Amino acid sequence: MAAIYATDPRQSRGRLYPEEESRFRSPFQRDRDRIIHASAFRRLKHKTQVFIEHEGDYFRTRLTHSIEVAQVARTIAAALGLDTELAEAVALAHDLGHPPFGHTGEEALDALMAPYGGFDHNAQALRIVTHLERHYAEWDGLNLTWETLEGIAKHNGPVLPPLPWALEAYDGLQSLELHTHASAEAQAAALSDDIAYSHHDLHDGLRAELFSTDELAELPVLHDCFAEVDRRYPDLNYYRRRHEALRRFFGILVEDVIDLALATLKELEPQNVADIRHAGRMVIRFSDGLWADLKVIRKFLFHRMYRAPAVVEMRTQVTQVVNELFPLYMAAPENLPKQWRKDVAEATGETELARLVCDYIAGMTDRFAIQEHQRLTGRPTVVAPGVMDAR
């Protein structure tokens, strides 16, 4: 049974463009399905999570990461009596706005777009689902419910001025109440993102041999996880041992969030979803003790994985790809695909053209960006293997 503070799909604030709702799917189920069928969602298969997508079939991509986040979000939402479809929809959409090459690509685009309003991947995700996906006869975007759009825009908390331009532009059309917190479902999606990458970055780092199992076993929380595995399975082989330990670590993160959320909700006694939005704090978060331990683990990952020597070189290479693509398209927008030509022709100035070019580059996969760079520059684009994302 749904909790009193859960988002009720029957009381959704609706869609920007009214349409007849499904007879057999809730509005949030329909949102989730539209996100899964979106072109931007499919492209996540070939976008960096931590490793360049061509480096190996076993490493996470943005797509596999998003699926893992959605799984955790459904688990947390169900445990708290929330709407699981809304939590899943926000989780699946949360990374749609990421450009190629992960956070490194985002930093490069943000610098290039500084004269034109900057770039923010959360704002870009909203732009994708409200404007750039163009498949329906009656509207641009996916025409998602207000609640899903709210979750995409502010799942990490209130968004205060100065707003990213893409958020500001849409908020002028339909207010998402950016000054408040999001629903508990959106907050569950946000914490699920933290849980998923805190777990899988350790797993991928081990597979890439950037650090050893013994080094992980010395870190907070993980030390106890490995000790428990060794106690129960003293003769377990290397691969199973680390999998079992990381599985326990994953479970600790999920259980901590659920237990603290239940205690916080009991304390706050919210009577509806509005009370969640106006609680003045996140109601779904890590406990202080676990958060302190996670900061130690993330510091370890920062130095051993995100800033390893190979990473610095990789970041330089892919930043150059983005830095060179942007002015090439600005100088010759006819190089954009023909379906973009109408938008180019209607652009009223340099800022509008820059935002179109940014939209196009941000939508690229890693490999397509490399291919386009080679095509437009006329020289081979060599991107050496290595980790390159930055948290």
Side-chain angles (χ1 to χ4, degrees):
M1 191 173 87
I4 193 172
Y5 46 78
T7 304
D8 187 344
R10 296 168 300 179
Q11 297 180 15
S12 169
R13 300 194 195 184
R15 306 175 188 275
L16 182 62
Y17 303 101
E19 57 178 296
E20 184 177 350
E21 288 296 343
S22 171
R23 293 184 295 107
F24 49 87
R25 289 181 296 169
S26 78
F28 305 144
Q29 286 177 297
R30 205 174 189 187
D31 285 354
R32 176 201 59 201
D33 296 347
R34 287 181 177 182
I35 291 163
I36 289 173
H37 287 281
S39 298
F41 186 75
R42 292 194 296 276
R43 288 196 298 271
L44 295 179
K45 176 183 178 183
H46 297 294
K47 289 198 176 191
T48 291
Q49 177 61 27
V50 171
F51 292 82
I52 293 286
E53 66 87 16
H54 64 259
E55 290 188 89
D57 293 338
Y58 290 99
F59 298 121
R60 270 74 171 186
T61 64
R62 285 283 164 197
L63 180 61
T64 53
H65 166 69
S66 296
I67 293 170
E68 291 183 20
V69 174
Q71 175 267 316
V72 179
R74 285 191 67 93
T75 298
I76 294 174
L80 301 178
L82 304 174
D83 187 281
T84 55
E85 277 74 28
L86 176 57
E88 184 178 20
V90 175
L92 290 171
H94 85 282
D95 266 356
L96 289 179
H98 261 292
F101 314 125
H103 290 280
T104 302
E106 178 171 14
E107 290 172 9
L109 267 185
D110 188 39
L112 290 162
M113 286 294 293
Y116 313 108
F119 178 84
D120 174 85
H121 79 267
N122 282 330
Q124 189 69 12
L126 186 73
R127 182 165 168 80
I128 287 169
V129 300
T130 60
H131 181 67
L132 295 178
E133 286 285 327
R134 296 178 178 177
H135 307 292
Y136 295 91
E138 298 183 34
W139 55 73
D140 289 341
L142 305 180
N143 200 32
L144 304 179
T145 61
W146 185 93
E147 290 78 10
T148 298
L149 295 179
E150 177 210 29
I152 293 171
K154 57 179 184 177
H155 55 273
N156 289 320
V159 185
L160 304 177
L163 301 177
W165 74 266
L167 275 188
E168 186 174 34
Y170 188 80
D171 201 56
L173 184 65
Q174 181 186 35
S175 174
L176 297 176
E177 300 176 4
L178 297 174
H179 63 286
T180 70
H181 285 276
S183 65
E185 288 84 359
Q187 294 183 38
L191 261 291
S192 297
D193 182 27
D194 289 349
I195 290 169
Y197 81 70
S198 294
H199 166 257
H200 65 51
D201 283 5
L202 294 172
H203 196 278
D204 284 351
L206 283 172
R207 181 175 288 277
E209 299 182 346
L210 292 173
F211 41 78
S212 69
T213 302
D214 289 343
E215 288 177 294
L216 282 196
E218 295 300 316
L219 293 172
V221 186
L222 287 158
H223 178 273
D224 292 341
C225 294
F226 278 100
E228 172 65 12
V229 171
D230 292 342
R231 184 186 66 80
R232 295 187 63 179
Y233 311 104
D235 299 319
L236 203 59
N237 71 41
Y238 172 80
Y239 292 102
R240 290 178 189 266
R241 177 177 180 255
R242 75 185 190 187
H243 181 271
E244 283 292 328
L246 289 176
R247 186 168 72 91
R248 282 162 172 74
F249 174 68
F250 186 78
I252 287 170
L253 300 186
V254 174
E255 290 173 10
D256 179 84
V257 168
I258 291 172
D259 289 344
L260 183 61
L262 287 170
T264 302
L265 291 164
K266 183 177 180 180
E267 173 196 343
L268 292 176
E269 296 184 338
Q271 297 303 300
N272 48 50
V273 68
D275 287 348
I276 299 291
R277 292 191 176 101
H278 296 281
R281 55 172 162 153
M282 297 287 277
V283 299
I284 301 180
R285 59 182 181 85
F286 293 115
S287 66
D288 291 342
L290 184 58
W291 178 236
D293 290 337
L294 277 177
K295 286 192 285 189
V296 175
I297 294 170
R298 291 179 181 186
K299 184 177 180 180
F300 172 85
L301 284 171
F302 183 86
H303 291 289
R304 297 299 302 276
M305 190 171 182
Y306 311 139
R307 287 296 183 273
V311 179
V312 176
E313 175 60 25
M314 175 62 72
R315 284 170 58 85
T316 300
Q317 293 174 19
V318 298
T319 297
Q320 181 179 353
V321 170
V322 177
N323 283 346
E324 293 185 1
L325 279 177
F326 188 86
L328 286 170
Y329 287 123
M330 287 292 289
E334 62 271 16
N335 282 315
L336 295 173
K338 62 182 180 180
Q339 62 264 38
W340 290 72
R341 306 283 170 77
K342 182 175 183 292
D343 289 326
V344 170
E346 294 175 351
T348 59
E350 186 178 4
T351 295
E352 285 192 18
L353 176 60
R355 290 174 178 177
L356 287 173
V357 169
C358 179
D359 287 338
Y360 183 59
I361 294 175
M364 291 179 175
T365 62
D366 295 2
R367 63 183 180 181
F368 183 68
I370 293 170
Q371 290 167 1
E372 277 292 275
H373 182 263
Q374 181 170 335
R375 181 180 73 86
L376 293 175
T377 63
R379 65 178 190 271
T381 303
V382 180
V383 178
V387 190
M388 44 78 41
D389 201 11
R391 291 288 170 192

